[in-house]
């Protein structure tokens, strides 16, 4: 067996059922093995498409996404996707070719120091120069990617390693002296958190993306029900409780709901679960949750007190801490729901008075109306994927997410161009679910080459372009903070997205009038197969409410759309 | 700003120093010095890092962020336990017949040593705590210092317990 076959054998042993990638010189032997072994592989049209597809696959399934790319430019094209996955803790294994051993360090053709370049944006990375290292490196890489706080691992393999003969044996276990992957917590921290709940009058649950990646949404739902308190979430926490849960306020932060942000500012106990206090969710840090005792349930010790100081920490894997927390709360025997009812009603009243909303305007299509309509046309198993910008926030506001792993978005990096390939990966990973992508006329152009991949493989993704002829979020900030100077943000070009779809081999539609949401859209959504739906909306549409940069969460700018 | 000396035990394999130093720079921590060397175990490297931080909280971040690295086996804050701290310096000073005797006196007072002499210069070597090394440099600055090479600090705890068992 050669190194390339050993790589594929290892992937099989790890249960990998598909690889996303793009061939090139340094990985030709690997691709020859793909050919001979008929290994399932999706050829994207760009390496960035491959890695976002693997990311979407990983977020939708909970499995490790796998990517192949060649050396030099092939591997550097993965960088944006690696950083995206790293910030959002998505498990990936990226196998990149490197020039052959004798050529390393000589500025050879298609040589780039991928180990050095990816060190800051991976959970861990390797440069494999000896074929003997391959089996244990692969075993470690999958173990590291999928345990603890998940993340991307890069394995850069010298070209001659793929060709070298190996007496292949895959290790059964991993031995890493500094990493166990086990994060059991401490009973006394849980007891302290229970005591904090007993003393609280106005508690609030703040659900983060860690709940999704640790598959503990059911425990959080149990907790919410037991306590009978309101629940808010981060952007990546959407889906941790079903959208129709009584007491769910939508997400919090810069464009989060009024009630979420006000409840954070008014509560006296904030149960923060699997979140990292991004500046987008805290607003001004020194005014964040001023009255609250903050309890931070977190697996990554380095997240505790990094951005916001916690009063109590509950360290450990949520799969360990949350069931125990629920058990201990049950053992207390108090009727929490009764005790906290007044507070919950107060918050729900705020939410009823200030829901996410928009104002209808003639027969134009308002983005809120569009997304709400798509949400109504979707079943509870539909996976919504977004790109980045205004449409992303509108999707988070108006699309009802009912299950974990059903709202996929680039949260931490805000990567434009993420959406189309991620939606494709999600559909491949979860073929039984409908997949709808919300994107903008800015975002879609960043990886629109993947329409070809979608069409060629008949990957059933409905692509909704929220088309306002401007980089919407950039334009909004220019409108609000730069005196309406739309510097380089206007996109009034000649691109015809319907024709683009047709050119790439899928159906394209255009909606321009409000009534088409009721007449045409349902038909398109019900059709089999991929489609692009170009929806024209007004240009000067703000995402509201909004916490301006540097302000506290309770200094929101309110108002629905004009 | 307060300084702390951290002993970081890491796997002895290629790329580890890149992981450690890369983490420190991208997290914007203030590093005074960093030095690495072999240990009594051939597969373990010891990296000695002196950080200067504003608060205990920041120090905690340095330690926990470093602790996330897969290659890092153990981190001990040696400033919290009784320990002996040393740096090594070599100083090249302009010297001729007229002042060589004076320099020898200074070297003796500091228990340093002269490790090289020529007609025009001497090279002085000293190991000691940072303050002692700062001291000799200050005294020698009255002469013409041609060149200084200085290592970062390393430290060992007092008593029989090694860092790996702390």
């Amino acid at each position: 067996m050669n190194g390339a076959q050993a790589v594929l054998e290892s992937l099989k042993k790890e249960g990998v059922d598909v690889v996303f990638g793009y061939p090139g010189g340094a990985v030709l032997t690997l691709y020859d093995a793909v050919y001979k072994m008929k290994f399932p592989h999706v050829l994207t049209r760009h390496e960035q498409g491959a890695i976002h597809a693997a990311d979407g696959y990983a977020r939708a399934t909970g499995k490790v996404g796998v990517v192949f790319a060649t050396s030099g430019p092939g591997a550097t094209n993965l960088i944006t996707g690696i950083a995206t996955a790293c910030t959002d803790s998505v498990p990936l294994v990226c196998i990149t070719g490197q020039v052959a051993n004798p050529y390393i360090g000589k500025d050879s053709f298609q040589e780039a120091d991928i180990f050095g370049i990816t060190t800051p944006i991976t959970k861990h990375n390797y440069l494999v120069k000896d074929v003997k290292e391959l089996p244990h490196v692969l075993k470690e890489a999958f173990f590291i990617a999928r345990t603890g706080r998940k993340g991307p691992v890069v394995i850069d393999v010298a070209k001659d390693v793929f060709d070298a003969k190996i007496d292949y044996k895959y290790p059964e276990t991993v031995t890493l002296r500094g990493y166990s992957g086990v994060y059991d917590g401490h009973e006394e921290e849980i007891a302290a958190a229970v005591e904090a709940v007993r003393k609280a009058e106005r508690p609030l649950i703040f659900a983060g993306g860690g709940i999704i990646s640790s598959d503990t949404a059911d425990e959080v739902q149990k907790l919410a029900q037991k306590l009978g308190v309101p629940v808010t979430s981060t952007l990546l926490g959407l889906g941790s409780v079903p959208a129709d849960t009584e007491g769910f306020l939508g997400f919090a932060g810069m464009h989060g709901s009024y009630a979420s942000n006000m409840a954070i500012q008014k509560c006296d106990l904030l149960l923060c679960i699997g979140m990292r206090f991004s500046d987008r969710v805290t607003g001004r840090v020194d005014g964040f949750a001023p009255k609250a005792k903050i309890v931070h349930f977190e697996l990554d010790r380095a997240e505790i007190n990094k951005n916001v100081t916690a009063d109590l920490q509950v360290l450990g894997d949520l799969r360990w801490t949350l069931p125990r927390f629920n058990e201990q709360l049950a053992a207390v025997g108090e009727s929490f729901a009764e005790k906290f009812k007044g507070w919950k009603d107060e918050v729900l009243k705020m939410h009823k008075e200030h829901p996410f909303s928009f104002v209808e305007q003639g027969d134009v299509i308002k983005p809120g109306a569009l997304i709400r309509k798509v949400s109504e046309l979707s079943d509870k198993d539909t996976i919504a994927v977004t790109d980045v910008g205004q449409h992303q926030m509108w999707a988070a506001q108006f699309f009802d997410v009912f299950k974990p792993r059903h709202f996929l978005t680039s949260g931490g990096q805000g990567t434009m161009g993420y959406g189309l390939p991620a939606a494709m990966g999600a559909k491949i990973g979860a073929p039984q679910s409908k997949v709808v992508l919300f994107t903008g006329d800015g975002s879609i152009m960043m990886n629109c080459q993947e329409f070809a991949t979608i069409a060629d493989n008949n990957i059933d993704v409905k692509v909704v372009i929220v088309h306002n002829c401007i980089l919407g979020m950039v334009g909004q900030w220019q409108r609000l903070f730069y005196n309406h100077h739309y510097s380089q943000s206007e996109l009034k070009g000649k691109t015809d997205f319907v024709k683009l779809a047709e050119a790439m081999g899928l159906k394209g539609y255009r909606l321009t009038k409000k009534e088409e949401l009721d007449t045409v859209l349902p038909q398109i959504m019900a059709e089999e197969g991929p489609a692009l739906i170009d929806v024209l909306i007004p240009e000067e549409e703000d995402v509201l409410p909004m916490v301006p940069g540097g302000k506290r969460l309770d200094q929101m700018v309110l108002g629905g759309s004009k | 700003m307060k300084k702390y000396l951290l002993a970081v035990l890491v796997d002895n394999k290629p790329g580890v120093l890149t992981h450690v130093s890369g983490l420190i720079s991208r997290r914007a921590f203030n590093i005074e010095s960093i030095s690495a060397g072999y240990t009594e175990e051939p597969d373990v490297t010891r990296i000695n890092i002196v950080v200067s931080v504003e608060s205990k909280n920041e120090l905690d971040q340095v330690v926990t962020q470093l602790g996330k690295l897969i290659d890092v086996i153990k981190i001990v804050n040696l400033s919290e336990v009784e320990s002996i701290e040393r740096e090594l310096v070599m100083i090249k000073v302009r010297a001729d017949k007229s002042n060589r005797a004076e320099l020898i006196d200074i070297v003796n007072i500091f228990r340093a040593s002269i490790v090289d002499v020529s007609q025009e210069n001497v090279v002085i070597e000293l190991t000691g705590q940072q303050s002692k090394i700062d001291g000799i440099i200050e005294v020698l600055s009255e002469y013409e210092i041609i060149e200084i090479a200085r290592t970062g600090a390393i430290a060992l705890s007092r008593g029989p317990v090694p860092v790996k068992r702390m």
Side-chain angles (χ1 to χ4, degrees), chain A residues 115-116 119-126 140 144 149 176-179 300-307 309, chain B residues 11 13-16 18-19 22 26-27 41 43-44 57 60-61 63-65 67-73:
Chain A
F115 179 84
T119 291
I121 50 168
T122 48
K123 186 171 175 189
H124 195 53
N125 63 1
Y126 298 90
E140 282 174 23
I144 291 166
R149 181 172 181 176
L176 290 161
R177 294 176 67 171
Y179 180 85
D300 181 355
R301 195 164 123 55
E303 285 304 334
I304 308 241
N305 301 337
K306 187 180 80 181
N307 296 337
T309 307
Chain B
D11 280 327
K13 43 182 202 204
V16 176
T18 310
H19 281 144
R26 75 176 180 268
R27 294 279 175 187
E41 288 180 53
D43 53 349
V44 175
N57 219 358
D60 194 48
Q61 270 296 308
V63 172
T64 52
Q65 293 287 356
K68 282 171 71 168
L69 295 176
I70 308 292
D71 306 316
V72 170
I73 301 165

Side-chain angles (χ1 to χ4, degrees), chain A residues 495-535:
Chain A
T495 309
D496 182 331
F497 290 120
V498 174
K499 282 187 183 158
L500 174 73
E502 286 164 357
M504 295 269 189
L506 67 161
K507 288 180 185 165
Y509 302 90
R510 181 169 295 119
L511 308 186
T512 55
K513 290 195 189 71
K514 193 166 78 180
E515 69 257 23
E516 289 171 317
L517 293 184
D518 294 319
T519 54
V520 191
L521 188 62
Q523 291 174 30
I524 304 171
M525 294 297 289
E527 274 174 25
E528 284 286 316
L532 178 156
I533 311 155
D534 183 27
V535 187

Side-chain angles (χ1 to χ4, degrees), chain B residues 40 46 82 84 156-166:
Chain B
E40 70 284 358
R46 181 180 177 121
E82 278 245 10
I84 312 130
L156 275 186
S157 62
R158 290 183 191 276
V161 184
V163 153
K164 63 189 171 194
R165 299 228 174 75
M166 280 183 185

Side-chain angles (χ1 to χ4, degrees), chain A residues 180-200:
Chain A
S180 71
V182 178
Y183 296 81
D184 286 352
H186 312 279
E187 296 285 354
E188 67 276 12
E189 289 180 355
I190 290 163
V194 170
E195 200 46 38
V197 172
R198 293 188 66 181
K199 285 186 185 143

